[in-house]
Amino acid sequence: MPEKSVKKAILTIENGPTLELPIYQGSLGQDVIDISQLVANDHFTFDPGFVSTASCESQITFIDGDKGILLHRGYPIEQLAEHSSYLEACYLLIYGELPSKEQKEEFETTVGKHTMVHEQLRTFFSGFRRDAHPMAILCGVVGALSAFYHDSLDVSDAKHREIAAFRLIAKMPTLAAMSYKFSVGQPFMYPNNELSYAENFLQMMFGNPCEDYKISPTISRAMDKIFLLHADHEQNASTSAVRLTGSSGANPFACIAAGIAALWGPSHGGANEAVLEMLEEIGDESRIDEFVARAKDKNDPFRLMGFGHRVYKNFDPRAKVMKETANEVLTELGIENDPLLKIAKRLEQIALEDDYFISKKLYPNVDFYSGIILKAIGIPTSMFTVIFAVGRTVGWIAHWHEMHSAPYKIGRPRQLYNGHVTRDYVPLNKRPKAAKAD
Ligand code: CMC
């Protein structure tokens, strides 16, 4: 149980008891009211979208959305992006501290040993249609890993959890690149453990057995930054899905497959793909105003993809780093004048100056800029969310591992039931005829 503060919340239920609810203080952030005794007093709380609910205790990541702060194990994301690497951040997220030189080398070597996937797994790919979305493939093959690695499925064994963590972090880029290679009908590339994590992913994506693939340091640095900036983001939809799935004791590969499924939606990780689709739909700078007007129209469901965030009501600190990286990549590739990028820059400017976006605190988010970088690098749009999933895998694992390292309960929210009250079954011949559709 967390430290209890001297403060208490007093809840008086009309015609019912008055309850004293303890208030906990974390090391940072808002105080949290413990409402767990409500159920014994015949009440639940109602909080659609869990906007006011802390689902767990955690020591991994802290976000202050109003101030635009993101810390991993206390370290600001800007410092990690500048000085660290994705694999070092993986170590930090999982073990809680930055590694020593020896620990870093050992961690990187161990990840390297797990980059290949079981040969039998390759046959799974041929069961998919060539035009299958790579997220659909990734969901399937990551879930299938549990059928291959039986020696790392005991979630109560810390060693099993650690091996599963290595396997997932190491194999995700391989599986991601295989999903892409399958869709374009090219042979799968094996990982090359001489290369860094990001370089390896790029060579498995863009290399082929017939010619050498030259890796640009600017591009591989940008790729590493994209992985690092997506590494964790506390209790977002996909991480919560992983924790909830894991709370039933499900194996790690199944849990991460659940995270991938949750990430896919356009309100979450699917947004980076949706940004590019939106830019393509806008198509020309002359149509920007029309789309901005639609985004502001309450009667139109259209939203500017890549803008707004549930938690950040200030500039997303990851977006700031991503914006700088986007500029570096565009300059290196000499494509600052790409028409879609021009539309993106103009949209960004409008959103930062327009009253609607300012008053609702809708800033460009990380997916807005990552989509631009990935397009510039030549990654197909359908792979954008897959890349988010590769980076986020460590966050999912760190949370899953944290949950299993302390006592936990199966996740089981309740509901405000609003359906029919009890009624008697009606036999088929007594039911009214359904109205015919026109
Ligand atoms: N364009 C236009 N209006 C918007 C947008 C947008 N992108 N985002 C929010 N709004 C409006 C919304 O219509 C609402 O207006 P009103 O108060 O008049 O009803 C208000 O802003 C608040 O929106 P909300 O949906 O209640 O806010 P939320 O916190 O539930 O949603 C969000 C956050 C990210 C789902 C939403 O901003 C959105 O749909 N953005 C576009 C999709 C996107 O870029 N998602 C990626 C998020 S970052 C990556 C990740 O963490 O997964």
Side-chain angles (χ1 to χ4, degrees):
M1 265 291 128
E3 285 286 305
K4 283 180 192 167
S5 80
V6 282
K7 279 202 297 183
K8 283 186 170 49
I10 310 295
L11 177 70
T12 303
I13 298 169
E14 210 177 310
N15 302 323
T18 292
L19 306 172
E20 274 194 5
L21 307 174
I23 300 182
Y24 305 135
Q25 283 178 318
S27 48
L28 288 170
Q30 288 92 337
D31 291 353
V32 173
I33 303 172
D34 179 346
I35 48 102
S36 56
Q37 57 173 291
L38 282 186
V39 63
N41 287 283
D42 220 14
H43 281 82
F44 301 135
T45 50
F46 184 58
D47 182 20
F50 309 122
V51 289
S52 299
T53 296
S55 63
C56 62
E57 274 182 78
S58 184
Q59 300 180 344
I60 301 172
T61 290
F62 172 75
I63 302 173
D64 184 328
D66 291 327
K67 295 195 183 124
I69 292 173
L70 169 60
L71 309 176
H72 290 324
R73 302 285 190 183
Y75 296 103
I77 191 68
E78 295 87 346
Q79 291 183 26
L80 293 172
E82 189 177 349
H83 304 294
S84 190
S85 64
Y86 177 67
L87 280 187
E88 187 178 71
C90 287
Y91 186 101
L92 174 69
L93 287 167
I94 293 173
Y95 297 107
E97 294 297 336
L98 287 169
S100 66
K101 190 170 174 293
E102 294 72 29
Q103 287 168 327
K104 186 169 185 280
E105 279 167 14
E106 193 189 336
F107 185 77
E108 288 173 357
T109 309
T110 313
V111 170
K113 281 190 188 142
H114 287 287
T115 49
M116 278 198 298
V117 294
H118 195 291
E119 278 295 298
Q120 198 68 24
L121 197 72
R122 296 163 76 89
T123 61
F124 271 60
F125 285 82
S126 50
F128 288 99
R129 283 169 55 134
R130 284 275 171 199
D131 61 355
H133 194 288
M135 279 299 274
I137 300 181
L138 196 69
C139 236
V141 292
V142 170
L145 292 178
S146 42
F148 286 82
Y149 301 106
H150 296 142
D151 58 344
S152 53
L153 299 184
D154 180 357
V155 298
S156 63
D157 183 328
K159 202 72 211 153
H160 276 224
R161 294 205 298 273
E162 192 176 36
I163 300 169
F166 278 118
R167 285 189 168 136
L168 280 157
I169 293 168
K171 292 182 202 307
M172 280 296 277
T174 314
L175 294 172
M178 285 169 86
S179 311
Y180 169 63
K181 286 297 195 194
F182 177 75
S183 73
V184 289
Q186 288 185 13
F188 297 140
M189 294 293 285
Y190 281 107
N192 172 355
N193 294 339
E194 296 293 305
L195 300 175
S196 75
Y197 193 84
E199 288 170 340
N200 209 358
F201 174 65
L202 289 168
Q203 78 81 22
M204 288 190 286
M205 277 290 293
F206 296 120
N208 70 61
C210 308
E211 54 196 60
D212 279 345
Y213 170 67
K214 206 167 164 317
I215 301 166
S216 143
T218 309
I219 306 294
S220 66
R221 254 198 321 275
M223 202 65 241
D224 194 74
K225 233 169 240 182
I226 288 179
F227 290 143
L228 188 150
L229 292 173
H230 284 96
D232 189 42
H233 216 226
E234 54 118 304
Q235 313 308 323
N236 54 81
S238 58
T239 304
S240 298
V242 170
R243 277 191 182 255
L244 198 61
T245 311
S247 76
S248 73
N251 77 66
F253 305 105
C255 294
I256 301 306
I260 294 170
L263 184 76
W264 194 359
S267 299
H268 191 8
N272 51 15
E273 181 175 345
V275 168
L276 254 288
E277 280 165 1
M278 176 191 74
L279 294 178
E280 273 158 12
E281 198 188 341
I282 297 175
D284 189 87
E285 280 185 87
S286 62
R287 297 189 66 205
I288 291 178
D289 289 346
E290 175 197 329
F291 280 81
V292 171
R294 281 185 59 195
K296 289 157 61 171
D297 181 355
K298 267 206 161 301
N299 300 317
D300 189 327
F302 173 77
R303 287 184 169 198
L304 275 194
M305 299 315 286
F307 290 84
H309 198 277
R310 165 60 63 81
V311 180
Y312 292 117
K313 302 303 171 197
N314 197 324
F315 223 99
D316 176 342
R318 302 168 302 169
K320 277 189 194 159
V321 180
M322 209 62 109
K323 185 178 177 177
E324 282 168 27
T325 311
N327 288 335
E328 280 165 30
V329 170
L330 299 184
T331 310
E332 153 109 1
L333 297 174
I335 50 170
E336 296 101 317
N337 292 325
D338 181 278
L340 287 193
L341 299 175
K342 275 192 175 167
I343 297 174
K345 284 193 171 163
R346 179 81 192 109
L347 268 186
E348 176 199 24
Q349 191 192 355
I350 291 176
L352 293 176
E353 290 168 358
D354 188 296
D355 266 357
Y356 174 90
F357 294 92
I358 295 171
S359 63
K360 292 188 187 299
K361 300 183 174 167
L362 300 170
Y363 292 87
N365 58 45
V366 66
D367 287 330
F368 185 69
Y369 298 107
S370 66
I372 293 172
I373 299 174
L374 294 172
K375 174 178 178 342
I377 295 177
I379 307 261
T381 316
S382 61
M383 282 295 290
F384 287 9
T385 314
V386 169
I387 285 168
F388 191 155
V390 172
R392 183 55 57 87
T393 296
V394 69
W396 292 330
I397 289 169
H399 282 272
W400 170 80
H401 179 64
E402 183 180 65
M403 186 186 76
H404 280 292
S405 306
Y408 65 91
K409 279 183 184 299
I410 185 169
R412 179 47 170 104
R414 301 306 297 261
Q415 62 176 6
L416 171 61
Y417 176 70
N418 232 340
H420 284 285
V421 296
T422 311
R423 51 185 178 159
D424 288 326
Y425 180 80
V426 181
L428 196 53
N429 60 0
K430 297 268 169 58
R431 290 176 213 165
K433 278 198 179 122
K436 272 200 181 134
D438 287 338

